[in-house]
Amino acid sequence: MPSPTLPTRSYDAFLFDMDGTLITSVAAAERAWAAWAGRHGLDLEVFMPTIHGVRAVDTIRNQNLPGIDLDAEVDWVTRREIEDTRGVTEIPGAIAFVAGLPADRWAVVTSASPELAEVRLRAAGLTPPALVVTAHDVERGKPDPAGFRLAAERLGFAIEDCLVFEDAVAGIAAAEAAPADVVVITAAHQHPLETPHPTLDGYEGVRCEVGVDGRLSLAI
């Protein structure tokens, strides 16, 4: 059920993370990353929690593996992810929710590559919005706020007047640093997440109301 503490103010735009926020692709992502980790002899129990919400290049760089070609490794795992969309679906109610948003008032800000973002959104039944900010658009990925700030700038709004929908710790931190208000989507969480932000277990029962000034607000 929706949190009773949803934001009461209105916003110029909504910014959405992708994986775990609009779509769920945890199983597909973990299959690709498990295969990559196996090639390098990594401990899956330690490694797998590090992959969510951050760019592939940062995930791989953080392993400090000697003698690897970073670009080639990123390409290898990204190819695997693009080719495997089994089980990729919408977060409940996401398709209907974004269909009610003005086209120029929302964007996706993802740690995925442009091609992977396109493939996964369409696999889940979502038409990509006019603006998608990907891993290739910023020098520093989440938890750095650059992606959210860039999306707000390209939409033509102040980041402080945007509402971010996120699910992962790194993305929440990026939104906080932007700074923007945050709603945490918990539908794909496998473990409870302690957060001071309002939460939604999906989008069913939630709608966007558009004011006469074009600003957006959440309603139940």
Side-chain angles (χ1 to χ4, degrees):
M1 292 295 294
S3 163
T5 58
L6 287 179
T8 56
R9 59 167 292 199
S10 61
Y11 299 90
D12 282 326
F14 289 167
L15 309 179
F16 297 84
D17 173 52
M18 184 179 70
D19 291 314
T21 300
L22 285 176
I23 68 172
T24 177
S25 58
V26 171
E30 291 190 346
R31 286 193 296 270
W33 280 105
W36 180 85
R39 297 174 73 221
H40 295 283
L42 299 181
D43 182 335
L44 286 182
E45 187 173 351
V46 174
F47 171 69
M48 293 306 285
T50 72
I51 71 172
H52 300 293
V54 297
R55 300 183 303 174
V57 65
D58 296 324
T59 297
I60 294 172
R61 184 185 288 118
N62 289 341
Q63 305 313 306
N64 296 312
L65 298 172
I68 65 168
D69 181 329
L70 184 59
D71 290 339
E73 297 294 334
V74 170
D75 184 68
W76 189 93
V77 75
T78 300
R79 257 315 109 196
R80 285 292 187 103
E81 290 189 288
I82 289 169
E83 292 167 359
D84 183 358
T85 58
R86 180 164 50 92
V88 175
T89 60
E90 67 164 328
I91 295 294
I95 293 174
F97 183 77
V98 299
L101 301 179
D104 60 348
R105 295 276 178 151
W106 72 286
V108 166
V109 181
T110 176
S111 296
S113 69
E115 187 177 1
L116 180 57
E118 173 94 7
V119 166
R120 281 193 174 159
L121 286 168
R122 293 195 182 281
L126 277 84
T127 300
L131 176 61
V132 180
V133 174
T134 73
H136 291 190
D137 293 309
V138 293
E139 292 184 9
R140 295 178 301 279
K142 301 172 186 177
D144 190 277
F148 289 123
R149 290 175 177 171
L150 180 60
E153 178 185 337
R154 288 182 175 176
L155 288 174
F157 303 116
I159 186 61
E160 293 86 354
D161 288 320
C162 296
L163 178 64
V164 169
F165 295 75
E166 259 288 356
D167 74 300
V169 172
I172 294 168
E176 291 171 338
D181 287 352
V182 185
V183 170
V184 177
I185 305 300
T186 62
H189 286 184
Q190 298 174 328
H191 305 286
L193 175 68
E194 293 289 335
T195 178
H197 302 293
T199 62
L200 285 174
D201 185 21
Y203 302 88
E204 293 177 327
V206 182
R207 69 183 186 278
C208 172
E209 293 187 341
V210 183
V212 293
D213 57 358
R215 287 171 65 87
L216 315 177
S217 57
L218 294 176
I220 298 172

